[in-house]
Amino acid sequence: MALLVICISQVEASPSSKTRRHLSRPEKVWSAFHPFKAKKVLKCARRSIFVTDSLEKAGVLTDRDGGQLDAFRHAYWMALMIKEGMNKTVVRKIGERHEKGNYIDFKRGRLEDSSRADSMMCVMDLRNNERGIETGELYTSDSPPKLSMIEMVLLHIWNGTMVIMSKNAAGEYLDKDGTVIKMDEYKGKWYIPKVIVNSNMIVVPH
């Protein structure tokens, strides 16, 4: 536990200005009509990327491709925007626009955080977004949790109240029967028979 506290304190340092995030076309359109809110959105996005990268370097979480790091990044981004005072309906729509952007990027062969999006990855992201929104709301209440927001999202992941993709020990995606999905057979396809599982269902320790 002491090690986790040290890791969290390091993660909560200010993010580097070099942290960047690609904006999709739907996000750019929204930003053009909401320039002041867009600054908050980008600030929170950069912060979520920085913290996620820091957690990976510290060995707190692993797997940014449909795994716990991926789940954390999305939920924490949503939670940060809520904590910044943004309306949850707006925040939810931002998350949805991001996923629409992922589909456009998929059609163009562009990657999101080093991996290619697909239909089930988007479903996973949207579900984790909802947990992030719920978490952020806790920190806008009159009695916010004593745990930091980073710790709260981590607990959700470790307790299995968020979702990740089913994989084996080699990091290969599994279908509903537990069979390895031959990803080469799904090149250029949006619909892949991946399976969503609880975020604590990993075959290697976090």
Side-chain angles (χ1 to χ4, degrees), residues 4-204:
L4 176 58
V5 171
I6 293 173
C7 289
I8 294 298
S9 64
Q10 293 175 338
V11 165
E12 289 177 338
S14 298
S16 166
S17 60
K18 294 182 181 180
T19 304
R20 293 291 181 266
R21 177 177 171 277
H22 162 71
L23 288 180
S24 65
R25 187 174 66 190
E27 291 171 303
K28 288 179 180 178
V29 171
W30 183 88
S31 298
F33 287 96
H34 305 86
F36 296 108
K37 289 181 181 178
K39 289 182 179 179
K40 284 187 178 182
V41 174
L42 185 57
K43 172 187 173 183
C44 293
R46 288 175 175 172
R47 175 67 181 170
S48 70
I49 293 171
F50 170 79
V51 172
T52 302
D53 290 346
S54 299
L55 290 173
E56 182 178 29
K57 291 176 183 177
V60 178
L61 296 176
T62 61
D63 194 357
R64 59 173 63 247
D65 184 10
Q68 291 182 332
L69 281 168
D70 195 350
F72 178 91
R73 179 169 57 86
H74 279 269
Y76 188 58
W77 178 33
M78 297 291 118
L80 283 171
M81 288 190 284
I82 294 292
K83 192 176 180 181
E84 283 285 323
M86 297 183 66
N87 180 277
K88 71 176 181 180
T89 300
V90 173
V91 171
R92 183 176 291 113
K93 287 183 178 179
I94 289 169
E96 291 170 354
R97 281 182 175 270
H98 179 70
E99 298 310 319
K100 288 180 180 178
N102 282 344
Y103 179 69
I104 293 174
D105 286 347
F106 161 80
K107 299 293 284 186
R108 295 176 175 176
R110 187 180 292 163
L111 304 180
E112 182 203 19
D113 196 31
S114 76
S115 62
R116 183 158 294 171
D118 57 62
S119 61
M120 290 309 296
M121 292 285 274
C122 285
V123 172
M124 183 191 95
D125 291 344
L126 290 173
R127 287 182 60 176
N128 289 328
N129 286 354
E130 287 301 314
R131 181 63 68 185
I133 290 171
E134 293 172 7
T135 300
E137 287 184 313
L138 296 176
Y139 292 85
T140 61
S141 66
D142 294 333
S143 301
K146 293 182 180 180
L147 292 175
S148 72
M149 202 157 66
I150 293 175
E151 292 172 307
M152 184 64 73
V153 178
L154 285 173
L155 283 178
H156 279 307
I157 290 174
W158 291 334
N159 290 336
T161 53
M162 290 171 59
V163 292
I164 58 175
M165 290 295 168
S166 179
K167 294 185 178 183
N168 61 16
E172 297 170 304
Y173 291 102
L174 304 176
D175 63 18
K176 62 182 178 61
D177 298 318
T179 303
V180 173
I181 298 173
K182 297 179 181 179
M183 295 299 291
D184 288 344
E185 297 179 359
Y186 291 91
K187 284 185 177 180
K189 295 184 179 180
W190 178 247
Y191 298 100
I192 302 174
K194 295 179 179 178
V195 177
I196 291 175
V197 296
N198 292 342
S199 54
N200 60 346
M201 293 181 65
I202 56 174
V203 291
V204 291

